[in-house]
Amino acid sequence: MTELLNLEIYRFIFIFLRIGSAMVVMPGFAVSYVTERQRLSIALAITVVLVPFLSSYLPPAPTDFLEFLRIALFEIIYGVFMGIFMQMMYSALSLVGNFAGQAISFSNAQSFDPTFQNQSIVIETFLSLVALTVIFVTDLHHLMLSAVIDSYQLFPVGVSLPVADFSDFLSQTVNKSFIIGFKIGSPFIAFSIIFYVGMGLVSRLMPQLNIFFLSLPLQIYLGLGLLFLTTPIMILWFTKYYEDGLIKFTSGS
């Protein structure tokens, strides 16, 4: 009975290390209004449910304490890697918010963003909160947890860390996030180019006109109108990218 209890505790600890470290970092859970105790409580509840299903992926309990520490450290690294991967995909919205803020002249209007936990442009905070709400409403957070669970097939417990694969995969994720952020924010890039070119032509045709007095309110009104029109499309495009990224990871492609 004692050996069986020790075996169950060993399985619980190793599964909790990966699940808990991922939830501390992944979007939606790693926000300022979700405390560390709440994140770990959710991770504990999920671990209790997953122990019977993931026990087959665990190797025999190590008899050496140093081997136990090595496997535990690897599990934490795997979980943090999963969380960072999801955060990198989510950071595409940060680039979109910067493009929109620069186009609407809101770059100096900043507030605390609870999602990224830093000072950011108001529009960036707005887009990140809307996207986070859509992720939980559409149950994409279930797919995030499924990606962590499926990582046991990609990264078996106890094997050496694929450091080179980690760095290559994260660099590709950053590249894809930048590209998708640039594509989603392209309406605001085009708006900025057209608006400034138009204001430049007006200032040349009518030198006596106070172009700065005219351009700033016009830029704000037109930019906000463009934001209201494009926000649903931008959020849908981002959630599709986020879902496809998680599905490709879980499928190992």
Side-chain angles (χ1 to χ4, degrees):
M1 186 66 182
T2 303
E3 293 181 357
L4 180 61
L5 181 61
N6 292 335
L7 182 61
E8 290 299 323
I9 293 175
Y10 147 76
R11 293 172 177 172
F12 178 84
I13 290 175
F14 279 175
I15 295 175
F16 173 74
L17 287 175
R18 184 177 296 199
I19 300 294
S21 57
M23 294 194 66
V24 169
V25 185
M26 69 171 55
F29 300 96
V31 290
S32 59
Y33 44 80
V34 179
T35 64
E36 296 288 344
R37 180 177 298 179
Q38 291 172 334
R39 300 176 202 172
L40 294 178
S41 298
I42 296 173
L44 282 171
I46 295 175
T47 303
V48 171
V49 176
L50 293 179
V51 166
F53 302 98
L54 297 179
S55 297
S56 59
Y57 294 102
L58 299 179
T63 56
D64 187 8
F65 181 70
L66 293 178
E67 180 67 14
F68 178 86
L69 288 181
R70 184 186 72 87
I71 298 177
L73 179 62
F74 285 1
E75 289 303 294
I76 295 175
I77 294 175
Y78 285 134
V80 172
F81 166 77
M82 293 295 302
I84 292 176
F85 156 66
M86 297 176 192
Q87 282 284 7
M88 285 183 173
M89 288 199 302
Y90 193 78
S91 65
L93 277 180
S94 179
L95 185 62
V96 178
N98 276 278
F99 285 150
Q102 294 289 340
I104 307 176
S105 295
F106 277 8
S107 57
N108 291 327
Q110 297 188 355
S111 63
F112 179 75
D113 188 349
T115 306
F116 295 104
Q117 301 190 33
N118 57 7
Q119 289 292 120
S120 61
I121 301 174
V122 174
I123 296 177
E124 180 182 344
T125 305
F126 166 72
L127 291 176
S128 64
L129 290 177
V130 171
L132 193 61
T133 303
V134 172
I135 285 175
F136 279 88
V137 168
T138 58
D139 290 337
L140 276 181
H141 61 291
H142 293 169
L143 191 58
M144 293 162 56
L145 295 174
S146 177
V148 179
I149 296 171
D150 291 340
S151 66
Y152 282 93
Q153 299 178 3
L154 299 175
F155 311 118
V157 179
V159 300
S160 300
L161 291 175
V163 179
D165 294 337
F166 278 2
S167 59
D168 291 342
F169 184 78
L170 291 180
S171 62
Q172 293 175 9
T173 303
V174 171
N175 182 42
K176 292 178 182 178
S177 296
F178 178 82
I179 294 174
I180 197 69
F182 189 87
K183 290 180 179 179
I184 296 175
S186 58
F188 295 96
I189 299 174
F191 168 76
S192 297
I193 295 173
I194 295 172
F195 182 82
Y196 285 119
V197 170
M199 289 297 102
L201 292 175
V202 172
S203 66
R204 287 294 183 180
L205 295 174
M206 302 177 64
Q208 70 277 13
L209 180 65
N210 190 343
I211 194 65
F212 295 103
F213 181 78
L214 173 66
S215 63
L216 186 57
L218 186 61
Q219 184 178 10
I220 293 175
Y221 290 142
L222 293 178
L224 288 177
L226 179 63
L227 178 66
F228 293 148
L229 289 174
T230 57
T231 294
I233 301 174
M234 290 192 300
I235 297 300
L236 289 176
W237 195 348
F238 168 77
T239 52
K240 178 62 176 175
Y241 158 72
Y242 197 77
E243 181 181 8
D244 290 343
L246 291 174
I247 292 175
K248 288 181 181 178
F249 180 85
T250 54
S251 62
S253 58

